[in-house]
Amino acid sequence: VNQVANLTLVSSACDIVSTAYASTKESHPYIRSVCDAAEKGVKSVTEATASCVQPVLTTLEPHVAAASEYASKGLDKLEEKLPLLQKPVEQILSDTKELVSLRVADMKDAVSS
């Protein structure tokens, strides 16, 4: 999970969503109260669940470690094949717009000739 969260694409997308969430909460008082209540609920459930799940996690720790290592190796291979994962969302959008503009210009030239 940490490795996925540290991917530039994922972390920049999370930053964008977080900024939009904070801005929405700041701008709309009714939404803020709903979000605050939801955040408190999630925090309470997380705290309650953590104490119940801990003994199970301790028992499953070797299996979780093996699965984590396997997933990490798979993610490393995915990163090699998809360098896009190391770019921020803004750069991907900019590159895509530029590519589409170039293709449209090429099509216009082809049609006009």
Side-chain angles (χ1 to χ4, degrees):
V1 172
N2 287 336
Q3 192 173 357
V4 171
N6 287 328
L7 291 171
T8 305
L9 176 63
V10 175
S11 64
S12 70
C14 288
D15 289 345
I16 290 169
V17 171
S18 178
T19 300
Y21 178 77
S23 174
T24 301
K25 277 180 63 174
E26 192 65 33
S27 302
H28 305 284
Y30 296 116
I31 292 176
R32 180 182 324 129
S33 61
V34 170
C35 291
D36 288 344
E39 289 170 16
K40 287 177 186 173
V42 168
K43 184 177 180 183
S44 297
V45 168
T46 302
E47 290 169 354
T49 305
S51 61
C52 297
V53 173
Q54 191 58 47
V56 175
L57 288 178
T58 303
T59 305
L60 295 175
E61 189 172 352
H63 305 291
V64 171
S68 179
E69 184 178 335
Y70 182 74
S72 179
K73 288 178 183 177
L75 187 56
D76 288 342
K77 288 181 181 179
L78 188 62
E79 285 181 73
E80 287 174 21
K81 295 190 185 272
L82 293 173
L84 179 79
L85 295 172
Q86 295 302 330
K87 293 182 179 182
V89 172
E90 296 86 356
Q91 184 178 356
I92 293 169
L93 291 174
S94 174
D95 292 351
T96 302
K97 287 177 186 176
E98 185 178 328
L99 182 62
V100 169
S101 294
L102 289 171
R103 296 294 179 238
V104 169
D106 289 347
M107 283 191 272
K108 281 182 179 178
D109 291 344
V111 169
S112 65
S113 63

